Short mmCIF file of all heavy atoms in Angstrom, two decimals:
data_model
loop_
_atom_site.label_atom_id
_atom_site.label_comp_id
_atom_site.label_asym_id
_atom_site.label_seq_id
_atom_site.Cartn_x
_atom_site.Cartn_y
_atom_site.Cartn_z
N LEU Z 163 126.12 7.03 131.33
CA LEU Z 163 127.54 7.19 131.67
C LEU Z 163 127.86 6.36 132.94
O LEU Z 163 128.94 5.75 133.00
CB LEU Z 163 127.84 8.66 131.93
CG LEU Z 163 129.32 9.02 132.20
CD1 LEU Z 163 130.21 8.48 131.08
CD2 LEU Z 163 129.47 10.52 132.33
N LEU Z 166 128.24 2.67 131.88
CA LEU Z 166 129.48 2.42 131.16
C LEU Z 166 130.69 2.48 132.10
O LEU Z 166 131.61 1.68 131.99
CB LEU Z 166 129.65 3.43 130.02
CG LEU Z 166 128.63 3.31 128.88
CD1 LEU Z 166 128.77 4.52 127.94
CD2 LEU Z 166 128.85 2.03 128.08
N GLY Z 382 125.69 10.60 126.90
CA GLY Z 382 126.47 9.87 127.88
C GLY Z 382 127.52 8.96 127.25
O GLY Z 382 128.65 8.86 127.75
N GLN Z 383 127.17 8.34 126.12
CA GLN Z 383 128.14 7.53 125.39
C GLN Z 383 129.31 8.40 124.90
O GLN Z 383 130.47 7.99 124.95
CB GLN Z 383 127.47 6.83 124.21
CG GLN Z 383 128.39 5.98 123.35
CD GLN Z 383 128.91 4.75 124.06
OE1 GLN Z 383 128.12 3.88 124.45
NE2 GLN Z 383 130.22 4.64 124.23
N MET Z 384 128.96 9.60 124.43
CA MET Z 384 130.01 10.52 123.95
C MET Z 384 130.94 10.90 125.11
O MET Z 384 132.18 10.97 124.90
CB MET Z 384 129.37 11.76 123.32
CG MET Z 384 128.57 11.48 122.08
SD MET Z 384 127.71 12.96 121.44
CE MET Z 384 129.11 13.87 120.75
N ALA Z 385 130.38 11.14 126.28
CA ALA Z 385 131.21 11.51 127.44
C ALA Z 385 132.17 10.37 127.79
O ALA Z 385 133.35 10.59 128.08
CB ALA Z 385 130.33 11.83 128.62
N TYR Z 386 131.67 9.15 127.74
CA TYR Z 386 132.53 7.98 128.02
C TYR Z 386 133.65 7.87 126.99
O TYR Z 386 134.81 7.61 127.35
CB TYR Z 386 131.67 6.72 128.00
CG TYR Z 386 132.46 5.45 128.19
CD1 TYR Z 386 132.81 5.01 129.46
CD2 TYR Z 386 132.85 4.67 127.08
CE1 TYR Z 386 133.54 3.82 129.64
CE2 TYR Z 386 133.57 3.50 127.24
CZ TYR Z 386 133.91 3.09 128.51
OH TYR Z 386 134.64 1.94 128.67
N ASP Z 387 133.32 8.09 125.74
CA ASP Z 387 134.34 8.00 124.68
C ASP Z 387 135.43 9.04 124.88
O ASP Z 387 136.59 8.79 124.53
CB ASP Z 387 133.67 8.16 123.32
CG ASP Z 387 132.77 7.01 122.96
OD1 ASP Z 387 132.91 5.92 123.57
OD2 ASP Z 387 131.89 7.18 122.07
N ILE Z 388 135.06 10.19 125.40
CA ILE Z 388 136.05 11.24 125.65
C ILE Z 388 136.90 10.92 126.87
O ILE Z 388 138.13 10.92 126.84
CB ILE Z 388 135.36 12.60 125.85
CG1 ILE Z 388 134.68 13.06 124.57
CG2 ILE Z 388 136.35 13.67 126.33
CD1 ILE Z 388 133.66 14.15 124.77
N LEU Z 389 136.22 10.62 127.98
CA LEU Z 389 136.92 10.46 129.26
C LEU Z 389 137.72 9.17 129.36
O LEU Z 389 138.84 9.15 129.90
CB LEU Z 389 135.90 10.52 130.40
CG LEU Z 389 135.17 11.87 130.57
CD1 LEU Z 389 134.03 11.71 131.54
CD2 LEU Z 389 136.12 12.94 131.02
N VAL Z 390 137.18 8.09 128.85
CA VAL Z 390 137.84 6.78 128.96
C VAL Z 390 138.50 6.38 127.64
O VAL Z 390 139.61 5.85 127.63
CB VAL Z 390 136.84 5.69 129.42
CG1 VAL Z 390 137.52 4.34 129.48
CG2 VAL Z 390 136.27 6.06 130.79
N GLY Z 391 137.78 6.64 126.54
CA GLY Z 391 138.30 6.23 125.24
C GLY Z 391 139.35 7.18 124.65
O GLY Z 391 140.01 6.82 123.68
N GLY Z 392 139.46 8.38 125.26
CA GLY Z 392 140.47 9.31 124.79
C GLY Z 392 140.17 9.99 123.47
O GLY Z 392 141.06 10.52 122.82
N GLU Z 393 138.88 9.99 123.05
CA GLU Z 393 138.54 10.63 121.78
C GLU Z 393 138.70 12.14 121.88
O GLU Z 393 138.47 12.75 122.92
CB GLU Z 393 137.13 10.24 121.34
CG GLU Z 393 137.00 8.81 120.90
CD GLU Z 393 135.74 8.57 120.08
OE1 GLU Z 393 135.21 9.53 119.49
OE2 GLU Z 393 135.30 7.41 120.06
N ASP Z 394 139.04 12.76 120.76
CA ASP Z 394 139.24 14.20 120.65
C ASP Z 394 137.89 14.86 120.44
O ASP Z 394 137.28 14.71 119.37
CB ASP Z 394 140.19 14.48 119.49
CG ASP Z 394 140.47 15.96 119.29
OD1 ASP Z 394 139.90 16.78 120.05
OD2 ASP Z 394 141.26 16.29 118.39
N MET Z 398 134.76 15.36 117.25
CA MET Z 398 133.56 14.50 117.41
C MET Z 398 132.35 15.18 116.76
O MET Z 398 132.03 16.32 117.04
CB MET Z 398 133.27 14.26 118.88
CG MET Z 398 134.29 13.40 119.59
SD MET Z 398 133.83 13.07 121.31
CE MET Z 398 132.58 11.79 121.09
N GLN Z 401 125.74 14.81 117.22
CA GLN Z 401 124.82 13.74 116.91
C GLN Z 401 123.37 14.13 117.16
O GLN Z 401 123.08 15.01 117.94
CB GLN Z 401 125.18 12.49 117.75
CG GLN Z 401 126.58 11.98 117.48
CD GLN Z 401 126.86 10.65 118.13
OE1 GLN Z 401 125.99 9.75 118.20
NE2 GLN Z 401 128.07 10.47 118.66
#
Side-chain angles (χ1 to χ4, degrees):
L163 186 54
L166 293 170
Q383 178 69 61
M384 295 176 74
Y386 177 82
D387 292 341
I388 294 163
L389 295 170
V390 177
E393 289 198 23
D394 181 358
M398 292 183 78
Q401 299 189 39

